[in-house]
Amino acid sequence: MSDIWQQLAAHRSQTADTSILSLFDDTTRFDRFSAETDGMLLDVSKTSLDATAMDLLVQLAQGEDLEAKIAAMFRGEAINTTEDRAVLHTALRAQADTPIEVDGADVLPEVRTIRSQMEQFAEAVRNGDIQTADGGHFTDVVNIGIGGSDLGPAMATLALTPYHDGPCCHFVSNVDGAHIHDTLATLDPRRTLVIIASKTFTTIETMTNAETALVWLRAALGDKAGDHLAAVSTAHDKTAALGIAPERVFGFENWVGGRYSLWGPVGLPIMLAIGSKNFKDFLRGADAMDNHFKTAPLHKNLPVLLGLVGIWHNNICDYGSRAVLPYDQHLQRLPAYLQQLDMESNGKRVAQDGSTLPRASGPVVWGEPGTNGQHAFYQLLHQGTAVVPAEFLIAAEAHEPDLRHHHDLLKANCLAQSEALMRGRSLAEASEVAAKRGLTGAEQDRMAAHLSFPGDRPSITIAYPKLTPFVLGQTIALYEHRVFTEGTIWGLNPFDQWGVELGKELAVALLPLVQGAPTDHKDGSTSGLLSKLTPPAATQS
């Protein structure tokens, strides 16, 4: 495959002076460099890719047997090689009855049994059949988790706000006491259901927050606090010890990674907020994208295209980050969700075989919703020294028909930003702008330098009809499979996360030191910081 990498690099060197805007001299470019499925459009025409580069990238994917590896994932093969596990979050949303086997057993019956239990519980909470300890309705839900047990359901619940007709959902993740304190301070324990989301019930942040929530519930409810608890866990002994009834404990298998888990029991808060029917539409959207990913030719396959553009930008153009810019306030948590999905999956330096990767892997992923970002960091996107590929997401229609003028302005801004990034403003054009402001001579020249934009900055746009549960499912699955595509081409395992382990281990060892134990065995910096951050024993509460 090194030959194709070299051809890509050589082609980039030969075409680097060709502007993106000039590529549109080909009037068919938009059609040739965009693709659509089930109403979702991916436009990659505002990048420096041309037909030769695209063909080489497709060859690169084929050379890594991408299509065969996609099929292996969906078949349930143990493609998570460092943990010897299948990767089957797709089974949680599969709509067909075709068996999906792990170790010779079809997993779909159990997936659907657990989903049915979730639906029965969620609908019973929503309609009042499951009552509070005093016979009332649950008005609020607090989900306590972290990482995949928080980012996914928190993002999706917010994204689907227009569909909320159940209890109000709140999310606590940070072990910082301010998070649990400030959340519970606004709620009535007599009307609040607490979900503890931790597969093993050992995640220190989650269990610390859970203990605080239990104290809060018990202070108000006494020995009936268990009536206000549910869990997403496989540790049935630990959940039982907290008084959580078995029918309120929902587990998931080890072939579902945390950051891919919102499609199953981890998505219980989503189902409580929007109902089981809308949740099924959410799953249907993801399944539709799964089927597209499995069957569409690579050059018209949305997740593959998105991944190939990512490879081009990261490895061939040396753009080390990407900005995710949803022009949808309901998607304000999507960039944070994609940070985990992408950076925890592909932030690796070691290949599947244990060798050091020969090239850069996952880029930095960041972003904020538009138009807020325009008044913050877009300055850097347009005129900074670093080129940051931008990924815009925009709906044709909003959920507020009486505020259509708002959405029209939002769409105009989204399209204007991608055009401005590509087109820029030449020095001559900037000089004319300065002249219209009454400037002449040296002052005109000076201001023209400030008013010019280099342009030729790449962007992609994902457009969809409206942010429905179906479309949200499509969008998340699109990015999941983009991560898989890129990880496969880089030759790494996108489904483990060993890099998070060391800090966890050191934190456990540091806790006694924070609480006053001797620090002589620590490095000078850590010891010095401990001395500043540990109050004298007499002042500790």
Side-chain angles (χ1 to χ4, degrees):
M1 297 306 297
S2 60
D3 181 54
I4 296 180
W5 285 107
Q6 290 169 7
Q7 290 180 57
L8 281 163
H11 182 68
R12 171 62 178 169
S13 178
Q14 294 163 7
T15 60
D17 292 334
T18 302
S19 71
I20 298 171
L21 185 60
S22 70
L23 295 174
F24 283 91
D25 292 343
D26 174 4
T27 58
T28 68
R29 179 170 175 79
F30 175 78
D31 292 332
R32 294 172 60 215
F33 286 85
S34 63
E36 187 171 358
T37 182
D38 291 304
M40 176 172 283
L41 174 77
L42 172 65
D43 171 24
V44 301
S45 63
K46 287 196 188 78
T47 69
S48 58
L49 284 170
D50 60 13
T52 300
M54 183 62 76
D55 287 345
L56 287 169
L57 288 165
V58 169
Q59 290 178 44
L60 193 66
Q62 292 170 331
E64 294 295 343
D65 294 324
L66 175 62
E67 290 167 301
K69 289 174 182 176
I70 291 170
M73 177 176 71
F74 282 98
R75 280 197 304 269
E77 294 184 17
I79 64 170
N80 178 349
T81 54
T82 62
E83 298 176 302
D84 193 28
R85 294 176 182 173
V87 176
L88 278 178
H89 50 281
T90 54
L92 298 178
R93 61 218 192 195
Q95 302 296 299
D97 293 325
T98 306
I100 301 172
E101 294 187 351
V102 174
D103 298 328
D106 183 8
V107 303
L108 285 181
E110 180 66 13
V111 165
R112 290 172 179 174
T113 295
I114 293 174
R115 189 190 307 154
S116 177
Q117 293 169 348
M118 289 172 58
E119 290 171 356
Q120 291 172 25
F121 176 74
E123 292 304 325
V125 170
R126 285 162 52 84
N127 65 29
D129 287 346
I130 290 180
Q131 299 179 334
T132 62
D134 63 3
H137 276 62
F138 285 104
T139 60
D140 294 272
V141 173
V142 175
N143 186 84
I144 299 177
I146 198 166
S149 298
D150 169 77
L151 281 166
M155 177 275 294
T157 300
L158 177 60
L160 298 176
T161 296
Y163 297 89
H164 287 196
D165 57 2
C168 183
C169 292
H170 314 265
F171 295 86
V172 172
S173 55
N174 200 333
V175 76
D176 184 343
H179 200 181
I180 187 77
H181 173 273
D182 293 353
T183 301
L184 299 184
T186 66
L187 304 178
D188 180 353
R190 297 167 300 174
R191 296 290 174 267
T192 303
L193 174 70
V194 174
I195 301 172
I196 305 169
S198 172
K199 180 179 280 190
T200 62
F201 253 47
T202 58
T203 308
I204 190 166
E205 298 96 336
T206 298
M207 298 318 298
T208 300
N209 281 325
E211 289 166 7
T212 299
L214 277 168
V215 170
W216 179 71
L217 287 175
R218 286 169 178 160
L221 305 172
D223 59 6
K224 290 191 174 183
D227 294 347
H228 287 235
L229 293 174
V232 176
S233 179
T234 56
H236 292 279
D237 55 337
K238 293 183 174 67
T239 59
L242 290 184
I244 306 175
E247 63 272 17
R248 295 188 180 193
V249 180
F250 308 93
F252 56 97
E253 300 294 337
N254 64 10
W255 35 258
V256 179
R259 57 191 175 276
Y260 298 91
S261 62
L262 80 168
W263 313 104
V266 166
L268 182 60
I270 310 170
M271 188 182 287
L272 283 162
I274 67 174
S276 57
K277 180 180 181 298
N278 284 320
F279 191 83
K280 287 176 182 175
D281 286 342
F282 175 58
L283 299 183
R284 283 197 313 105
D287 181 68
M289 186 59 71
D290 292 344
N291 291 323
H292 172 77
F293 185 49
K294 285 190 289 186
T295 60
L298 297 184
H299 69 286
K300 285 295 183 180
N301 188 309
L302 269 66
V304 173
L305 278 175
L306 197 55
L308 295 181
V309 173
I311 295 290
W312 173 256
H313 286 156
N314 189 23
N315 297 109
I316 308 304
C317 301
D318 294 324
Y319 304 150
S321 76
R322 57 174 66 128
V324 178
L325 310 170
Y327 274 64
D328 193 318
Q329 185 64 18
H330 291 136
L331 288 177
Q332 63 181 280
R333 293 289 289 160
L334 181 66
Y337 172 77
L338 294 180
Q339 282 178 347
Q340 186 198 26
L341 177 65
D342 202 317
M343 295 170 70
E344 191 167 77
S345 296
N346 286 340
K348 312 282 173 63
R349 56 179 292 277
V350 176
Q352 294 262 17
D353 62 5
S355 62
T356 301
L357 291 175
R359 57 187 54 84
S361 58
V364 175
V365 179
W366 58 283
E368 280 286 324
T371 57
N372 291 11
Q374 294 176 198
H375 296 267
F377 54 80
Y378 278 39
Q379 168 64 40
L380 183 146
L381 298 185
H382 286 289
Q383 291 185 311
T385 55
V387 175
V388 181
E391 301 182 0
F392 296 95
L393 295 94
I394 184 71
E397 182 183 356
H399 284 277
E400 302 80 24
D402 55 330
L403 298 175
R404 179 175 174 176
H405 60 294
H406 281 259
H407 197 63
D408 287 346
L409 183 58
L410 185 75
K411 287 190 287 187
N413 272 273
C414 180
L415 298 177
Q417 290 299 321
S418 65
E419 182 182 5
L421 285 166
M422 174 181 66
R423 186 178 295 278
R425 179 191 283 156
S426 69
L427 194 61
E429 291 170 331
S431 182
E432 291 179 7
V433 173
K436 289 178 181 178
R437 297 183 179 185
L439 302 177
T440 59
E443 186 63 12
Q444 179 181 345
D445 294 341
R446 184 182 74 84
M447 280 307 301
H450 289 280
L451 294 170
S452 65
F453 290 69
D456 206 35
R457 302 206 164 187
S459 68
I460 67 158
T461 300
I462 299 168
Y464 43 89
K466 191 176 185 178
L467 186 58
T468 62
F470 183 92
V471 166
L472 182 65
Q474 281 183 297
T475 303
I476 298 171
L478 168 68
Y479 275 97
E480 287 178 345
H481 297 322
R482 185 255 197 99
V483 165
F484 176 75
T485 296
E486 291 181 335
T488 297
I489 292 173
W490 286 320
L492 52 80
N493 178 10
F495 301 110
D496 61 13
Q497 56 278 334
W498 300 108
V500 306
E501 298 298 323
L502 180 58
K504 289 181 180 179
E505 295 169 8
L506 292 175
V508 171
L510 272 164
L511 182 58
L513 279 59
V514 169
Q515 295 171 334
T519 65
D520 296 343
H521 62 291
K522 284 293 181 183
D523 63 87
S525 172
T526 304
S527 295
L529 290 168
L530 281 165
S531 69
K532 293 295 183 184
L533 294 172
T534 304
T539 66
Q540 291 188 23
S541 59

